Amino acid sequence: MRAKIITIGDEILVGQTVDTNSTFMAKAFNQAGIQVTEILSITDTKAHIIEAVDKAIPNNDFVILTGGLGPTNDDITKSVLTEYFEDELVLYPKILDRIQDYFKRFNKPFLEVNQLQAMLPKHATIIENELGTASGMWFKKGNTHILSLPGVPFEMKALFTTFLKKITETYQLGNFYHKSVLVAGIGESYFAELIKDWEGKCRDEGISVAYLPSIGSLKLRLTGDIKQKTFIDAQLEEMVSQHRKYVVGYEDTSLQEKIGELLLLKNATLGTVESCTGGGLAEKIVSVPGSSNYYEGTIVSYSYRLKENLVGVKHDTIVNFGAVSEEVVREMAKKGQEKLAVDYCISISGVAGPDGGTEDKPVGTVWIAIATPNQVHAKVFQFGYNRSRNITSTIMAALNFLRLVLIEEVK
C-alpha cells in the first residue's frame, strides 16, 4: 500500500519551522508496511491544496495532510477540503463541550472564533483531539483514505497514531520487512569496507542494504520480503556479534539510551564536566526517561576561572598545557568524579570554532576524558570547522567513548 504526505504552511517553506511531522509519519507508515511515495510541502492557498490532493488520490491508498486547521483566518484547510469533498460544516456539540472544557482547564477565555473549531464536515469521520482544539478529519474517495491533521507536532502524533491503529486493524498491509542497527565510532565508507563480504551475501539473497548517516553515527538498514525475516534477523545477529565495538543496538536505540542501559546493568552513576559543549552533553543524557536513576548532573566550566575554582583543575596545569589538552581533561574528569560523587565522569574541552584555533590545536580539536572507578581514559578527536557540527560531533563522540569503556572495548 502507498501513502503520500502533504504538509501545508508557509512557515515550512520559508524555513521558520522544521517539518518533523513528516519524519514521524513516514517512519510509522514504514513500520506498518505502507510505502511513502512522496512528501510534499505546499503553501496555504486553496489552489495548491486542491491541486495536491487531486494529484495524490489516484496514486495512493492514503493521503495525509497536516496544518491549516487552526481558528485564524489563514487556516483554510478545513473549508477547502469540505468544499472539495462536497460536504458541509455542521456543529458537533460533544466536541464543542470538550473544547470549552479545554479552555476552562487552562483558565483561558473562550472566544467566538474557538467555537468554529467544533464546526466540522458532516460526512467525514472525525478523530477527536484530546490535546488541543483542532480535530482530525478522515475522508474517503474511492479506495483512497484522506486524513487532515493539525500541524502542532504533539497533537498530530496522537491523532495519527489513532488513525494508523484503525488502519492496521482493518487492512492487510505491506509484505516487506525492515530491520536496522545503529553504528557509531566509524565512518560510513570504512564500515562499508569492513562488512563488504557480509553485505554481498545479503544482496545475493535480494536483501537491500542501505546506509543512513548522521553526525556521529549511521543507521544500517536491511530490507527484504516478509518471508525473509528469519534470514535478515540472523544476518544482523551475525554482523552485530562480529562488530560489537561499532554496533550500538537495534532499531531506534540511541547512544544515550545505550549508555543508560549499560550503567543500570553495572548499578553505576554518571556525571559530566563540560566546556565547549556548554551543557549539550547533559541535555542529551537527560532526554532519556529514567535517566535520574544513573545520572547525577553536570558542571559547565566554560572559562579558565571556573575550571580552576569550580572543578578544581590546577592553575599550573592550564598554564603549562592549555585548556584544550589531555592533562586538563584528565583532571576535569577526576575532579568531577569526586565533586559529583559518581562512578563515571565524562569531561570535555575543545576548540569549537570558528575562532580560537592555533597551529597545534586547530578548530575542531577536542579532548575527551572518562574517569572510571579504576582509571582515567583520554582521547583527542579532530572534527571540522563548523561550530554547530563540532559541538554535536563532540557530544556523540563522548557518548560513544563512554559506551566503549562500559563494554570494555577501551583498555
Side-chain angles (χ1 to χ4, degrees):
M1 303 187 93
R2 295 154 60 92
K4 180 172 180 174
I5 298 169
I6 302 170
T7 60
I8 304 170
D10 294 336
E11 67 277 7
I12 294 174
L13 295 173
V14 300
Q16 290 178 332
T17 300
V18 177
D19 177 21
T20 58
N21 287 343
S22 293
T23 302
F24 174 85
M25 289 186 287
K27 186 176 180 180
F29 268 138
N30 178 64
Q31 291 174 342
I34 299 171
Q35 180 186 7
V36 176
T37 59
E38 186 178 0
I39 297 175
L40 175 68
S41 293
I42 61 174
T43 60
D44 290 281
T45 64
K46 179 179 178 179
H48 278 105
I49 294 172
I50 291 174
E51 180 184 8
V53 173
D54 244 354
K55 289 182 178 179
I57 287 176
N59 303 309
N60 294 280
D61 301 285
F62 305 101
V63 178
I64 313 297
L65 301 96
T66 64
L69 297 183
T72 54
N73 291 329
D74 61 329
D75 294 309
I76 64 171
T77 303
K78 179 169 64 176
S79 60
V80 171
L81 292 179
T82 300
E83 180 181 336
Y84 179 84
F85 290 107
E86 299 179 345
D87 206 335
E88 61 177 311
L89 294 175
V90 296
L91 181 67
Y92 283 69
K94 181 183 174 183
I95 293 177
L96 177 60
D97 290 342
R98 184 188 55 74
I99 294 173
Q100 289 174 330
D101 288 342
Y102 175 86
F103 279 86
K104 287 179 183 177
R105 189 163 68 248
F106 292 100
N107 197 28
K108 293 181 179 180
F110 183 76
L111 305 177
E112 184 178 350
V113 70
N114 300 125
Q115 182 170 320
L116 297 177
Q117 294 292 75
M119 298 290 293
L120 296 161
K122 183 177 181 179
H123 301 294
T125 298
I126 305 302
I127 304 178
E128 291 193 41
N129 184 354
E130 300 296 333
L131 303 175
T133 63
S135 299
M137 303 179 299
W138 183 351
F139 303 91
K140 190 173 182 183
K141 187 170 183 178
N143 294 320
T144 303
H145 298 268
I146 303 94
L147 180 67
S148 178
L149 299 172
V152 179
F154 73 93
E155 296 180 27
M156 183 284 303
K157 290 178 181 179
L159 295 179
F160 179 78
T161 301
T162 298
F163 167 77
L164 195 58
K165 184 176 184 295
K166 292 180 181 294
I167 289 298
T168 54
E169 290 172 350
T170 306
Y171 295 92
Q172 181 69 38
L173 300 178
N175 61 351
F176 57 89
Y177 178 67
H178 295 297
K179 194 161 188 178
S180 61
V181 293
L182 181 69
V183 175
I186 187 170
E188 177 185 2
S189 59
Y190 296 104
F191 192 66
E193 178 66 22
L194 189 65
I195 63 170
K196 64 180 180 181
D197 292 338
W198 173 87
E199 180 180 342
K201 185 164 59 172
C202 291
R203 294 192 185 279
D204 287 344
E205 294 295 324
I207 305 298
S208 170
V209 182
Y211 295 84
L212 312 169
S214 57
I215 299 176
S217 66
L218 70 92
K219 271 198 172 184
L220 179 74
R221 187 185 68 209
L222 299 190
T223 303
D225 189 276
I226 190 67
K227 296 176 183 177
Q228 296 172 299
K229 179 181 183 300
T230 302
F231 177 81
I232 290 173
D233 289 347
Q235 290 306 303
L236 277 177
E237 285 181 19
E238 175 189 323
M239 189 273 291
V240 169
S241 67
Q242 293 177 355
H243 303 291
R244 178 171 173 262
K245 180 177 180 180
Y246 299 115
V247 179
V248 177
Y250 289 94
E251 300 302 331
D252 296 325
T253 300
S254 65
L255 273 167
Q256 57 268 28
E257 289 171 329
K258 189 63 180 182
I259 65 166
E261 292 174 11
L262 294 169
L263 287 165
L264 288 172
L265 284 173
K266 291 178 176 289
N267 194 29
T269 54
L270 172 66
T272 50
V273 180
E274 303 181 59
S275 183
C276 64
T277 49
L281 177 59
E283 181 182 19
K284 185 69 76 172
I285 293 169
V286 301
S287 68
V288 179
S291 55
S292 59
N293 291 316
Y294 51 83
Y295 184 62
E296 290 292 328
T298 192
I299 301 172
V300 180
S301 53
Y302 203 67
S303 67
Y304 291 1
R305 180 176 62 85
L306 289 186
K307 284 181 176 66
E308 292 181 35
N309 298 340
L310 189 59
V311 182
V313 177
K314 296 175 184 175
H315 176 76
D316 288 347
T317 306
I318 295 177
V319 170
N320 293 332
F321 300 102
V324 181
S325 63
E326 178 177 2
E327 291 77 8
V328 166
V329 292
R330 282 182 174 274
E331 285 193 29
M332 288 170 67
K334 193 62 184 173
K335 291 295 183 180
Q337 184 184 40
E338 295 169 3
K339 288 182 178 292
L340 296 169
V342 292
D343 300 304
Y344 294 84
C345 184
I346 307 173
S347 67
I348 296 170
S349 187
V351 187
D355 303 315
T358 62
E359 186 175 344
D360 61 328
K361 296 175 185 177
V363 170
T365 303
V366 178
W367 274 96
I368 300 174
I370 297 175
T372 78
N374 303 311
Q375 60 185 309
V376 178
H377 303 278
K379 185 176 181 180
V380 67
F381 295 82
Q382 187 62 55
F383 301 119
Y385 294 95
N386 180 279
R387 181 180 180 83
S388 176
R389 188 179 180 90
N390 287 342
I391 291 172
T392 301
S393 297
T394 299
I395 291 168
M396 299 299 286
L399 291 171
N400 193 54
F401 191 9
L402 176 60
R403 180 185 70 88
L404 294 175
V405 168
L406 292 172
I407 65 173
E408 299 181 352
E409 286 287 347
V410 175
K411 305 299 183 184

